[in-house]
Amino acid sequence: GTIQNANKVVVFSKEQQEFIRSKYGLPLKNIFIIPNGVHEAFFKPARNYKTKKSYNLLYVGRLSAQKRVGILINAMSYIKSQVQLTIVGDGDERDELENLVLKLSLKNVRFIGFKDAIEIRKFQKMNDAFMLTSELEGMPLAVLEAMASALPIIATDVPGTHELLSGVGKLVKSSSPRDFATAVDELLGNPEELSRLSHNSRASAEQYTWVKVVDSCETLYEDIMQ
């Protein structure tokens, strides 16, 4: 097949590298990791949190089955903290998700629709934490951009997010809305932990600047030319 005969295969992460190695039998030296890159405009200073009466939560991404935004919306029914969820993005599940909000009588969820990068940065600045409930990811750019903006990340512990966020964000092993809600409440009730995760996000995002991604590309091409 095409992959088996490739001189080099480019993947986002070590998890994907191992998957290609095990599935197609390619040697690791032929599987090159080049992660997604984050534009410098997204980078903001780490935040120091204090106890607040209410918190703003942010989701940015497609409204599709893979993203499982329904888990996040259902979790809003169980979160005890006073929160507002802003959903930025569009997709084929939008009508279904908006109906779910109505069915649950949630007054603290709003859909903003698709926004460009400049507008997304404004939403990042206005919010306190970033949510992700996907069942599978490659290397989600929306999460990298949220990390660069120093937002604490709460995400389901699944392939793609595990490698990116292990030791950086708060990973939830269960896909249960109740368990996700508990994780949100635990984090929002701990300003010191919020601050720590903000610093983690910002520091980790430094690995994914476009300068470093370009360096990786140059290294790949030099290797191929040899």
Side-chain angles (χ1 to χ4, degrees):
T2 303
I3 291 181
Q4 289 94 331
N5 296 327
N7 183 275
K8 295 289 180 184
V9 174
V10 177
V11 296
F12 283 135
S13 66
K14 289 182 180 178
E15 284 181 343
Q16 292 180 344
Q17 183 189 52
E18 177 55 30
F19 172 78
I20 294 295
R21 185 201 65 77
S22 61
K23 183 173 178 64
Y24 297 102
L26 288 181
L28 288 178
K29 65 183 179 66
N30 286 5
I31 310 169
F32 207 86
I33 299 172
I34 299 181
N36 263 332
V38 184
H39 193 283
E40 62 182 12
F42 282 93
F43 282 85
K44 304 298 178 190
R47 311 176 187 196
N48 292 309
Y49 288 78
K50 296 180 180 179
T51 301
K52 297 173 60 177
K53 289 184 178 179
S54 63
Y55 292 87
N56 297 313
L57 310 179
L58 178 66
Y59 168 83
V60 177
R62 297 190 317 278
L63 304 183
S64 62
Q66 174 214 336
K67 298 293 186 177
R68 299 192 303 189
V69 179
I71 292 176
L72 178 55
I73 291 172
N74 276 292
M76 294 294 288
S77 297
Y78 302 112
I79 293 173
K80 297 175 182 177
S81 309
Q82 188 171 334
V83 294
Q84 169 81 38
L85 172 64
T86 298
I87 296 175
V88 178
D90 216 334
D92 54 15
E93 288 200 340
R94 179 165 178 173
D95 288 345
E96 179 182 334
L97 294 169
E98 289 183 331
N99 287 334
L100 178 60
V101 169
L102 293 174
K103 179 182 176 182
L104 296 173
S105 300
L106 296 172
K107 305 297 185 186
N108 56 349
V109 178
R110 60 175 181 157
F111 290 82
I112 301 298
F114 176 81
K115 297 295 176 183
D116 63 22
I118 293 173
E119 291 171 305
I120 287 172
R121 290 196 288 273
K122 292 177 182 177
F123 283 108
Q124 290 170 339
K125 186 176 181 180
M126 293 186 294
N127 282 270
D128 299 302
F130 188 91
M131 309 284 109
L132 188 70
T133 46
S134 298
E135 66 176 346
L136 179 70
E137 285 287 354
M139 178 170 281
L141 184 58
V143 175
L144 288 174
E145 291 170 348
M147 289 164 59
S149 75
L151 278 172
I153 313 292
I154 306 176
T156 41
D157 191 357
V158 297
T161 56
H162 179 86
E163 182 176 338
L164 181 61
L165 294 172
S166 184
V168 176
K170 189 174 183 69
L171 289 169
V172 184
K173 294 191 178 297
S174 167
S175 60
S176 157
R178 284 181 183 271
D179 291 340
F180 200 86
T182 298
V184 172
D185 279 325
E186 287 175 354
L187 183 57
L188 298 185
N190 189 339
E192 289 184 1
E193 182 69 358
L194 275 168
S195 299
R196 188 180 74 83
L197 294 191
S198 172
H199 285 257
N200 285 356
S201 285
R202 179 61 175 75
S204 182
E206 288 287 350
Q207 303 173 60
Y208 306 105
T209 62
W210 271 116
V211 171
K212 293 186 177 180
V213 171
V214 169
D215 286 344
S216 296
C217 290
E218 289 177 347
T219 301
L220 170 61
Y221 286 122
E222 288 169 2
D223 190 47
I224 290 173
M225 296 300 291
Q226 289 177 358

